Amino acid sequence: MAEQEMKAANETYAGFLSMLKIGTIVTVVVAAFVVLIIS
C-alpha cells in the first residue's frame, strides 16, 4: 500500500515540476514580449 502511495506521489511531483518548468518559460517569454512592446 505504501509503495502505491509513493508511486502516486512521485507522479504528482513529476507533473508539478513539468508544469513549473513550462510556466517559467511562458512567464519569461511574456515578460520579454512586454518589455519589447514598452521600449
Side-chain angles (χ1 to χ4, degrees):
M1 184 171 174
E3 289 181 21
Q4 291 175 344
E5 291 176 5
M6 279 305 300
K7 183 179 178 186
N10 286 335
E11 290 174 359
T12 302
Y13 184 64
F16 168 75
L17 282 183
S18 63
M19 289 299 289
L20 184 67
K21 290 175 189 174
I22 292 171
T24 301
I25 293 170
V26 168
T27 303
V28 169
V29 168
V30 169
F33 183 68
V34 169
V35 168
L36 287 174
I37 289 175
I38 292 173
S39 63

